[in-house]
Amino acid sequence: MKYIYAGKFVKRVKIPLFEGIEPVLTRPGKLIFWFKEKEHTGEVIEVEENELLVEYKKPVYGQNGLNAFGEYLDANFANNMDDLQADVDEKSIAIQENATSKKYISKIRGYVHYDGKELLVDNRIKVSEITKHKDLVEDLEDNNIEIVVTQHDTARDTIKEGVTLVSERIHVNGFVGAKSRLEAITLEIEGATHQDSLQYAKYATINRHKGTLRCHEGKISLLEGGVVHATAVEIDSSIGGAVYAQDVTIKHVKNNLKVYASNSITVRLVSGEDNLFKINYRDVPVVQSKLQFIDKDIKELRYKLEGAKRHSLGKVEELEKEITRLKKEKEAIHNSYKNAKITVQEPFKGLNNIIFTIDNAHEIAYKTEAKSYPPFYLEIQENIITLHPVAKSIVIEEK
């Protein structure tokens, strides 16, 4: 053998040292991406808990082979040859393996992230922008998915014109375009909303608001001509716009803002003029909707009460108590003006309007001067209603 390396041969000679045995495959290994069958439904692939995402079907050998190391070439030897070559997130994906297959199964409901290097399921969707023709996920209303939309180019809308997006949580790190509609339980917009845009949420936080927002609780940094319908809303600063809520809190009001509330309006500073602060539950859509639900509930309970009086006397007392409770709740709304307050903590800088509405035919209006006022409220003595602290009264004639 030493002559082979000593250059003693005229030409190179290949000497076979070992001849292995090739395995005979009955079925080759196959990697199936089941989740990709959903790609036609949208850009983001949503999966359910316990859903099969990827399956590796191991090769089946009719005859095993043998390599130079004396190892048998069988299914065990070839396990990873065609298997998924990516990191798998153990928190969101379970692996089930047996002699014939290896399955990758989602542990949670969410969307699939696969880039060739990593496979995971997450409930956060991150995109740079959303256009009208981009479908993100199906059945969005109750999907436990958070959509994060980030666009750092301030000249472009993150939510494009005409987009409708519904999810449990939406976080927009940019601007919301015209004729768009966002619906979420929790909504956060770090940019601005277009004046022709709509937002619906249980809890909403918006930096600059120019559109129309309907929510249970809202927090707005700058109200810039926008409209807010809420149960309770907190606003840092406002330039124009309109607010309709049970309770309204504003740090700084400039000019041309209209505030309609049923319970309270609290403002730290009013630096401008031509603002309206009005107590009237009839002007607040949230309260009107609540009254409609109460009337509907009372009607249904009365129907059940009639049936209980005939067939189930044991339920009568409970139903009567519930009807009485709802009637008191309705009456409290109708009389909300009696306990309502308008508070402006610092002195007014100009002329603004304070209004308390008693009923469809009576209201007390007052135009402020450039000075400080204690909280505005009503005092009711028989048929005389007085607006304090300015001692302006009206007489309500008995019907």
Side-chain angles (χ1 to χ4, degrees):
M1 293 294 292
K2 66 180 181 179
Y3 291 108
I4 295 176
Y5 302 102
K8 300 298 183 179
F9 291 100
V10 176
K11 59 181 180 179
R12 293 180 179 273
V13 177
K14 292 183 179 181
I15 300 175
L17 302 179
F18 176 84
E19 184 174 351
I21 301 173
E22 288 291 332
V24 178
L25 282 174
T26 302
R27 186 193 71 192
K30 184 178 182 182
L31 187 64
I32 306 172
F33 291 89
W34 293 109
F35 70 87
K36 289 188 176 181
E37 293 187 359
K38 293 184 171 184
E39 277 188 321
H40 65 280
T41 63
E43 177 179 320
V44 177
I45 301 173
E46 185 184 7
V47 295
E48 300 294 330
E49 183 180 355
N50 297 321
E51 183 172 337
L52 178 61
L53 307 177
V54 180
E55 182 178 11
Y56 171 53
K57 293 184 178 293
K58 298 179 181 180
V60 176
Y61 290 90
Q63 177 181 319
N64 294 333
L66 186 71
N67 65 13
F69 298 100
E71 296 173 328
Y72 283 104
L73 302 181
D74 55 16
N76 291 327
F77 179 82
N79 262 353
N80 296 319
M81 297 297 289
D82 299 309
D83 195 3
L84 180 67
Q85 302 298 313
D87 294 330
V88 178
D89 178 41
E90 296 179 355
K91 294 181 179 179
S92 62
I93 297 174
I95 299 176
Q96 296 179 0
E97 185 174 7
N98 57 32
T100 60
S101 68
K102 189 175 182 181
K103 297 179 179 180
Y104 300 83
I105 299 172
S106 174
K107 291 182 178 180
I108 61 173
R109 185 183 184 189
Y111 80 98
V112 179
H113 170 80
Y114 177 69
D115 58 4
K117 298 179 180 179
E118 183 181 27
L119 176 68
L120 63 88
V121 177
D122 198 355
N123 63 355
R124 288 167 62 89
I125 298 175
K126 296 182 180 181
V127 293
S128 61
E129 63 183 30
I130 298 179
T131 64
K132 184 175 182 180
H133 304 291
K134 181 185 291 185
D135 293 328
L136 284 178
V137 287
E138 301 273 324
D139 300 325
L140 292 160
E141 289 81 355
D142 186 24
N143 54 27
N144 192 32
I145 286 181
E146 178 179 2
I147 299 176
V148 181
V149 193
T150 303
Q151 172 62 260
H152 297 291
D153 187 350
T154 57
R156 301 173 63 184
D157 289 333
T158 306
I159 305 295
K160 298 296 185 181
E161 181 175 347
V163 166
T164 295
L165 179 60
V166 185
S167 188
E168 186 170 324
R169 297 183 298 276
I170 300 175
H171 184 164
V172 181
N173 189 5
F175 294 88
V176 176
K179 299 178 182 178
S180 63
R181 179 189 180 102
L182 303 181
E183 295 185 32
I185 294 176
T186 303
L187 172 65
E188 183 175 356
I189 300 173
E190 295 185 21
T193 58
H194 191 278
Q195 63 183 11
D196 293 328
S197 66
L198 296 172
Q199 297 81 42
Y200 298 85
K202 187 172 184 180
Y203 305 104
T205 302
I206 300 176
N207 183 27
R208 291 171 55 201
H209 183 55
K210 301 179 182 181
T212 299
L213 169 67
R214 296 180 183 274
C215 66
H216 174 60
E217 293 181 6
K219 293 184 178 181
I220 297 172
S221 297
L222 175 61
L223 179 63
E224 197 171 350
V227 178
V228 180
H229 298 273
T231 302
V233 62
E234 297 179 8
I235 300 170
D236 288 342
S237 184
S238 69
I239 305 173
V243 180
Y244 306 82
Q246 289 181 208
D247 298 283
V248 180
T249 302
I250 308 175
K251 291 180 180 178
H252 185 192
V253 175
K254 295 182 180 179
N255 301 299
N256 302 309
L257 174 67
K258 293 178 172 59
V259 179
Y260 304 89
S262 59
N263 295 342
S264 68
I265 301 172
T266 304
V267 180
R268 181 180 63 81
L269 171 65
V270 180
S271 63
E273 294 187 314
D274 298 322
N275 298 293
L276 170 65
F277 305 101
K278 185 175 182 180
I279 296 293
N280 185 7
Y281 76 85
R282 300 166 189 82
D283 290 328
V284 183
V286 169
V287 178
Q288 292 300 306
S289 296
K290 188 174 183 179
L291 285 172
Q292 290 175 8
F293 281 119
I294 290 174
D295 287 338
K296 182 179 178 181
D297 288 345
I298 290 175
K299 185 177 180 180
E300 290 178 356
L301 287 170
R302 282 175 174 166
Y303 177 78
K304 291 180 180 180
L305 179 60
E306 291 302 316
K309 286 178 178 179
R310 292 192 298 269
H311 308 292
S312 183
L313 292 175
K315 296 181 179 181
V316 170
E317 184 178 357
E318 181 183 349
L319 290 168
E320 287 178 340
K321 285 183 179 179
E322 183 62 15
I323 291 173
T324 300
R325 185 190 68 80
L326 290 173
K327 285 182 176 180
K328 288 181 178 179
E329 187 175 353
K330 181 178 179 179
E331 183 180 2
I333 293 174
H334 289 163
N335 293 324
S336 56
Y337 69 92
K338 295 179 180 179
N339 299 309
K341 282 188 178 182
I342 298 175
T343 303
V344 179
Q345 296 168 350
E346 297 188 21
F348 283 93
K349 305 297 182 182
L351 301 178
N352 296 276
N353 295 294
I354 303 289
I355 299 176
F356 280 73
T357 299
I358 291 87
D359 54 37
N360 290 327
H362 301 90
E363 67 179 22
I364 301 179
Y366 178 78
K367 190 175 288 291
T368 65
E369 299 176 6
K371 67 175 186 177
S372 179
Y373 293 88
F376 292 85
Y377 66 96
L378 296 179
E379 179 186 11
I380 302 172
Q381 293 181 339
E382 296 182 352
N383 63 334
I384 300 175
I385 299 179
T386 303
L387 175 63
H388 290 292
V390 294
K392 185 174 182 179
S393 301
I394 63 170
V395 177
I396 305 294
E397 296 181 2
E398 295 183 1
K399 294 182 180 180

